[in-house]
Amino acid sequence: MITLHFSDEVAQARRAGHPLVALESTIITHGMPAPHNLDTARRAEATVRDNGAVPATIAVLEGRLHIGLDASQLEQLAQAKDVAKLSRADLAVCLATGGTGATTVAATMIAAHLAGIEVFATGGIGGVHRGAESSFDVSADLQELAQTPLTVVCAGAKAILDLPKTLEMLETLGVPVIAVGQNALPAFWSRDSGLTAPLRLDTASAIARAHRTRVAMGLSGGQLIANPIPAEDEIPYDDIQKAVASALSDARTQGIAGKDVTPFLLARIHDLTAGRSLTANIALMLNNARLAARIATQLTGMKE
Ligand code: PSU
Ligand code: MN
C-alpha cells in the first residue's frame, strides 16, 4: 500500500471514528477562476464541518497523496499554475515522478477509498460528451463509479454533456443514479434536465441505508446522488443551453480535445453568462457539501 499523507484534522477524525467527506481538487485548479476557487474550497470545507463531518480535500503534492490539506497547502494549490489534472490513468505516474496534480472525481474516489472514506462531494461529474459517437469522449468518472464503492454527491451531470447518453452509460455500468427529493434528474446549473432520474430518495438516512445495503450485498461500485441546486441559485435549463451551444462550437473551432474539454467549456460558459454560471456552481457545491456531511454522519451512526 502506498503512504497516504493525512492532514492533522483528518488523522484525528480517523482515530476518533468521526464522519469524513472527501472533496476533489480539480474544481479548484481547473473548474473555477481565482480567487473564487480558493474561497469556494474553504467554504465547502467549512460547510462539511458545520454539518457534523470532517472535510478531506484530496490532491497530489510533490509526489505525495494528500488526504486533507492544511490551510497553506490549499492556498498553494489554488494559486499554482500548470497543475496537472489527474484521473485514474494519471495518478500513479504523477506519484512516481514526484509531480503535483489535482484529482478529478475518478481519482478522488480512488484516493478516498484507499483512505476508507465512503462519501464524497463534488459539483458535477464528468460524463458522455455531446458528439461522443465520433469523439469517443466519455469521462473516466463513469467507469470509476462502476467500480469504487463511494457515495458521490453531485448536482447532476453538467449540462454541457449529452445527458441521455450519460444516463444510458451509467445504467449499463450498474451505477444507481438517485435524484434527491424530486423525480427529475438535475442538470448542474438547473434543477430539472427534462429527464426523469432512474431512482429517487428523499433523505440522508435513506441514502446512507442504500449505501450500506450495496456494501452488504458485495456489489462493487458506488452510487451517484444527484442533488438539485437550490431554487434561488439555479439557471433554468433552456437559459443555459444558449451558452452551452456557443461554448461547444468554440471548442470545436479551436480544436480543444481530451482533458482540456471540460475546463474550457466551464470557463467559456462563465464568460458567456457574465459570471452567473460561477455563482450557481458555488451554490451547488456548498449544497452538495452539506448533504454529503449529513450522509456521512448517518453512515457513522449505522456502523455496528
Ligand atoms: N465539477 C465542477 N467543476 C469541475 C469538475 C467537476 O463543478 O471542474 C471536474 C471534476 O474533477 C470532474 C472533471 O471529474 O471535471 C471531469 O473531467 P473529464 O470530463 O475530463 O473527465
Ligand atoms: Mn474526456
Side-chain angles (χ1 to χ4, degrees):
M1 199 31 192
I2 64 154
T3 304
L4 303 175
H5 295 269
F6 296 104
S7 64
D8 291 346
E9 185 186 21
V10 170
Q12 205 177 335
R14 282 163 56 85
R15 281 194 297 273
H18 289 155
L20 283 154
V21 170
L23 299 167
E24 60 146 313
S25 43
T26 295
I27 188 168
I28 303 173
T29 55
H30 294 72
M32 285 186 191
H36 303 281
N37 59 345
L38 177 59
D39 183 55
T40 306
R42 286 179 174 147
R43 288 173 68 196
E45 291 195 341
T47 302
V48 169
R49 292 186 194 101
D50 291 346
N51 287 276
V54 171
T57 301
I58 290 174
V60 177
L61 305 178
E62 294 169 354
R64 288 148 71 106
L65 182 50
H66 286 266
I67 313 292
L69 300 178
D70 67 28
S72 77
Q73 290 167 334
L74 195 64
E75 203 167 316
Q76 273 170 39
L77 190 70
Q79 284 158 4
K81 299 269 174 291
D82 301 322
V83 178
K85 175 180 163 187
L86 307 175
S87 190
R88 168 177 275 264
D90 317 290
L91 257 184
V93 168
C94 185
L95 287 165
T97 56
T100 291
T103 50
T104 62
V105 168
T108 305
M109 288 177 73
I110 293 168
H113 185 51
L114 288 173
I117 300 174
E118 297 180 295
V119 184
F120 165 24
T122 182
I125 60 153
V128 181
H129 281 269
R130 300 187 195 186
E133 59 275 23
S134 55
S135 71
F136 278 47
D137 190 349
V138 177
S139 175
D141 292 352
L142 300 186
Q143 295 245 44
E144 203 58 50
L145 281 160
Q147 54 186 311
T148 303
L150 263 82
T151 285
V152 178
V153 181
C154 69
K158 295 191 200 78
I160 53 178
L161 299 168
D162 187 320
L163 295 180
K165 287 196 185 72
T166 300
L167 278 184
E168 289 292 350
M169 189 84 215
L170 286 164
E171 183 184 54
T172 302
L173 293 168
V175 177
V177 179
I178 302 167
V180 182
Q182 65 179 33
N183 296 325
L185 178 76
F188 200 63
W189 300 287
S190 328
R191 288 176 66 82
D192 187 346
S193 63
L195 301 168
T196 301
L199 297 160
R200 167 183 175 160
L201 291 172
D202 291 350
T203 63
S205 69
I207 294 166
R209 272 198 302 280
H211 179 107
R212 276 282 170 269
T213 306
R214 286 186 66 82
V215 173
M217 291 178 74
L219 290 175
S220 60
Q223 49 179 12
L224 184 63
I225 307 303
N227 186 29
I229 181 172
E232 60 273 24
D233 300 303
E234 81 158 333
I235 308 176
Y237 194 69
D238 292 337
D239 293 8
I240 196 83
Q241 284 315 310
K242 282 184 259 348
V244 169
S246 83
L248 284 166
S249 111
D250 293 349
R252 253 189 317 274
T253 46
Q254 294 181 40
I256 309 293
K259 51 171 69 182
D260 297 334
V261 172
T262 297
F264 177 88
L265 293 175
L266 289 176
R268 275 305 285 147
I269 290 167
H270 173 259
D271 294 347
L272 290 163
T273 61
R276 201 173 157 208
S277 67
L278 176 64
T279 309
N281 199 344
I282 294 168
L284 66 85
M285 182 59 226
L286 300 179
N287 191 45
N288 295 343
R290 187 175 313 120
L291 177 61
R294 292 182 181 158
I295 297 167
T297 306
Q298 291 287 333
L299 277 173
T300 304
M302 276 174 199
K303 263 177 199 154
E304 55 277 70

